[in-house]
Amino acid sequence: MVKIETEIKNIKADIEELKRTLNQMNFNLVRIMGTIEKGIASVSTTEDGGKVVTSGVSVDLGPIEDKIEKLGKEMVTKEEMNKLETQVSEIVSEKIKKAEETQERAHNLLEKGMELVELQSTLAEIKTLLEERILGDLEEEE
């Protein structure tokens, strides 16, 4: 008995679901018919003299076509990407080469600067020695 009541409830629920689906289908059908009625109706004659009425919906695809055309013009092709990649690689290698040359020049200047500092200290020592000798010679003459 309980099993039969459960099955009856399930059947009633299924029927309610079918009713909702039919209502939704009717609503969509009414919308479609309204859209078709708003569209352009044309009458054409068949070979046997009968008339056929066809309805269509007018859709302006101009803006979409314009955007697609614009995107097509602005898109970069694979060949262009390869060209750009090559150019970037060349620029990077040139920059690296210039940086290495600059680093080499800076290193050379640093070495020359160090040599000049050593030369300056040597000259200062020679000056001191010469001053001591000159002063020593002057003291001996007196």
Side-chain angles (χ1 to χ4, degrees), residues 37-60:
E37 287 176 3
K38 289 179 187 176
I40 301 170
S42 63
V43 177
S44 61
T45 306
T46 60
E47 291 179 15
D48 60 354
K51 292 184 179 181
V52 176
V53 178
T54 58
S55 299
V57 178
S58 173
V59 177
D60 183 20

Side-chain angles (χ1 to χ4, degrees):
M1 195 72 132
V2 175
K3 188 176 180 181
I4 294 174
E5 288 177 3
T6 306
E7 288 181 3
I8 290 174
K9 286 181 185 179
N10 290 339
I11 291 173
K12 285 182 180 180
D14 290 340
I15 290 172
E16 288 300 319
E17 183 64 32
L18 285 173
K19 284 182 183 178
R20 280 193 295 271
T21 304
L22 282 173
N23 286 337
Q24 186 66 37
M25 287 175 63
N26 287 336
F27 174 75
N28 289 334
L29 185 59
V30 169
R31 281 183 54 202
I32 291 170
M33 293 302 290
T35 304
I36 290 174
E37 287 176 3
K38 289 179 187 176
I40 301 170
S42 63
V43 177
S44 61
T45 306
T46 60
E47 291 179 15
D48 60 354
K51 292 184 179 181
V52 176
V53 178
T54 58
S55 299
V57 178
S58 173
V59 177
D60 183 20
L61 297 177
I64 295 172
E65 290 173 347
D66 291 342
K67 287 183 181 180
I68 290 173
E69 191 173 313
K70 184 179 176 183
L71 283 174
K73 289 178 182 176
E74 292 177 358
M75 285 182 61
V76 179
T77 63
K78 188 174 182 178
E79 293 172 3
E80 292 173 357
M81 286 297 289
N82 289 338
K83 264 190 205 176
L84 288 173
E85 185 179 353
T86 304
Q87 289 175 349
V88 168
S89 296
E90 289 173 3
I91 291 171
V92 167
S93 65
E94 287 177 23
K95 294 287 184 182
I96 289 172
K97 185 178 178 181
K98 286 181 182 179
E100 288 173 347
E101 289 173 358
T102 304
Q103 182 181 6
E104 184 66 29
R105 283 192 302 241
H107 186 294
N108 290 338
L109 287 173
L110 181 61
E111 284 181 351
K112 288 179 183 178
M114 295 294 280
E115 289 172 4
L116 288 174
V117 167
E118 288 178 22
L119 181 60
Q120 182 183 10
S121 69
T122 304
L123 287 174
E125 288 177 17
I126 292 172
K127 178 184 173 189
T128 307
L129 289 174
L130 286 174
E131 285 175 351
E132 287 175 5
R133 272 214 174 173
I134 293 172
L135 287 177
D137 287 344
L138 288 177
E139 287 177 9
E140 286 180 13
E141 287 180 7
E142 289 178 7

